[in-house]
Amino acid sequence: MPSLRRINAIMFKELRQLARDRITFAMIVMIPLIQLVLFGYAINTDVRQVPSAVVDLAGTAQSRQLIYDLEASQVVQFSHRFDSVVQAEQAMTSGVVAAVLVLPADFQRRLALRQQGVLLQPVAQWITDGSDPLLSGAVSALGQLPLTLQGIDSSNNPAAVMQVVRYFNPEQRTAVNIVPGLIAVILTMTMVLFTSAAVVREREQGNMEFLITTPMQPLELMLGKIVPYIAVGCIQTGIILGLGHLLFAVPLPLHWLSLLVVTLLFILASLTLGLIISTRATTQLQAMQMTVFILLPSILLSGFMFPYAAMPLAAQWLAEVLPATHFVRMIRAVVLRDAQWWTLSYDVVYLAGFTLVGLVIATLRFKKRLD
């Protein structure tokens, strides 16, 4: 018969070991706490403050009033103004804005003719980034609102007040948006986990003492650990894009060099993050737990599942720290909008800086543990 005393002894022993394992104990508390905060506070599907641009070729009081009224809806925020549609399209391609309002030079005449029932065509145009269906759908809804400007009322004939043109994904297919972002999630999970476990595995198998006795420098060990996984990450990226194209008709990138640059930057940043974790974790289980701790915010805050523009400001600040947020923006720009890597300078510089700083931190922490 099982002995209750022996069961209690083992149970209290396990609880004591768990209490001494501070990382595991922290994961028990932090993982549900983070999920609660992210899902309850940071995650929001009500799209607000979509970064937008306006091309006001009319320059009249009525056109300015329309811009003011649309911005008052809080769905869009006109952060940029351009003199031509070409400039606005370039800004959309590089990801600076997600929507463009175009007001033609004869905007006031069109409004007047529409009021008289003579003109049934749209009086303005919305150009939206269809690669994000949620953002595009929210902006497109503004195009169906009736206009009431200085006595000109279109409520009796609200249809097609503003034409909506969707770039990059006119069919609004979700797979086109999901597949490139999935690369960020898979690379985050595999690259961080593989690298964080690699150093810890050496310690658990007793090989660390052998490495210490060799003339190898800490930086050389760090670089030697991450280089083999660069090829693994590139293979995973190719598999996802290839299958995505075959199964879901996701377009292949036009600029393969740009794809290679942004992918290598993210792989290096993720591997460096894994090295930092490996200098803190003492077992492979701890390394896996800390990887999950990084993976959850990367999935929820990077823009992979929920629009970045819909998140509160505090959540956006946290998202900017994560390498996945920058890669999601870059990979969608390169694959879906045919952007060149140098037009994504902010995200490129951040990932490069993250890799350099992280590599220094991992090297110093590893050297300190050796001392």
Side-chain angles (χ1 to χ4, degrees):
M1 293 291 295
S3 171
L4 183 61
R5 186 179 64 179
R6 288 193 292 267
I7 294 175
N8 288 335
I10 295 298
M11 181 180 66
F12 286 119
K13 172 182 176 296
E14 196 68 24
L15 289 174
R16 258 190 235 106
Q17 288 180 337
L18 183 61
R20 286 197 296 264
D21 190 347
R22 291 180 295 176
I23 295 180
T24 301
F25 188 77
M27 293 298 105
I28 294 173
V29 177
M30 293 302 296
I31 288 180
L33 178 61
I34 288 177
Q35 289 195 57
L36 176 64
V37 172
L38 290 181
F39 278 101
Y41 173 69
I43 304 306
N44 187 1
T45 56
D46 297 330
V47 179
R48 292 288 184 270
Q49 306 296 326
V50 177
S52 307
V54 61
V55 180
D56 186 4
L57 302 178
T60 63
Q62 288 180 327
S63 65
R64 289 190 292 269
Q65 181 65 38
L66 175 60
I67 295 170
Y68 175 81
D69 291 344
L70 289 173
E71 197 165 33
S73 69
Q74 297 187 357
V75 176
V76 295
Q77 181 180 20
F78 293 112
S79 55
H80 294 77
R81 292 176 181 268
F82 298 103
D83 297 327
S84 68
V85 177
V86 175
Q87 294 176 342
E89 289 174 340
Q90 292 173 350
M92 183 179 293
T93 300
S94 60
V96 176
V97 297
V100 178
L101 174 65
V102 181
L103 302 177
D106 60 344
F107 173 72
Q108 189 167 356
R109 183 185 66 85
R110 292 190 180 208
L111 279 177
L113 292 175
R114 186 179 182 87
Q115 177 67 13
Q116 298 169 14
V118 177
L119 181 67
L120 299 180
Q121 296 178 352
V123 299
Q125 184 184 68
W126 273 111
I127 302 175
T128 64
D129 180 5
S131 63
D132 193 328
L134 283 177
L135 292 185
S136 178
V139 176
S140 298
L142 295 178
Q144 303 301 321
L145 296 178
L147 301 180
T148 303
L149 299 173
Q150 297 182 4
I152 299 178
D153 188 3
S154 65
S155 58
N156 294 327
N157 184 19
V161 173
M162 287 182 280
Q163 181 187 28
V164 178
V165 178
R166 297 182 180 91
Y167 282 13
F168 314 121
N169 182 21
E171 299 174 352
Q172 295 286 275
R173 293 190 297 117
T174 305
V176 173
N177 177 260
I178 291 296
V179 170
L182 188 62
I183 299 175
V185 175
I186 293 177
L187 289 182
T188 299
M189 180 171 56
T190 56
M191 296 296 100
V192 175
L193 180 59
F194 288 171
T195 316
S196 61
V199 177
V200 177
R201 185 170 58 248
E202 298 284 0
R203 189 179 298 112
E204 287 183 337
Q205 295 177 351
N207 296 331
M208 191 59 66
E209 290 76 8
F210 172 75
L211 293 175
I212 294 174
T213 58
T214 64
M216 182 180 298
Q217 298 297 320
L219 180 59
E220 295 172 343
L221 177 61
M222 297 293 103
L223 292 175
K225 284 294 182 182
I226 67 176
V227 169
Y229 296 107
I230 295 177
V232 175
C234 291
I235 292 173
Q236 288 182 324
T237 302
I239 292 174
I240 297 171
L241 286 179
L243 290 179
H245 179 68
L246 291 176
L247 299 178
F248 306 107
V250 176
L252 293 176
L254 181 63
H255 306 290
W256 289 96
L257 178 60
S258 295
L259 174 65
L260 180 62
V261 170
V262 300
T263 303
L264 286 178
L265 283 173
F266 180 64
I267 290 174
L268 289 172
S270 299
L271 292 175
T272 303
L273 185 58
L275 286 178
I276 296 176
I277 292 176
S278 70
T279 62
R280 183 67 181 87
T282 56
T283 65
Q284 295 188 59
L285 177 60
Q286 287 184 354
M288 185 178 300
Q289 291 171 335
M290 296 176 72
T291 300
V292 173
F293 186 77
I294 298 295
L295 183 62
L296 283 176
S298 297
I299 294 176
L300 299 177
L301 296 181
S302 63
F304 166 66
M305 295 181 62
F306 306 97
Y308 177 86
M311 299 177 189
L313 190 58
Q316 292 183 0
W317 289 343
L318 177 59
E320 288 296 318
V321 179
L322 301 171
T325 302
H326 301 270
F327 181 66
V328 167
R329 284 200 291 254
M330 291 193 300
I331 193 67
R332 284 176 175 166
V334 171
V335 173
L336 304 180
R337 302 196 296 269
D338 294 329
Q340 301 274 23
W341 68 269
W342 58 80
T343 64
L344 311 170
S345 56
Y346 167 70
D347 298 307
V348 168
V349 170
Y350 180 85
L351 287 184
F354 184 93
T355 301
L356 292 176
V357 173
L359 194 58
V360 171
I361 293 175
T363 303
L364 293 178
R365 286 185 58 85
F366 182 74
K367 185 178 181 180
K368 182 179 180 180
R369 295 191 68 164
L370 293 182
D371 297 337

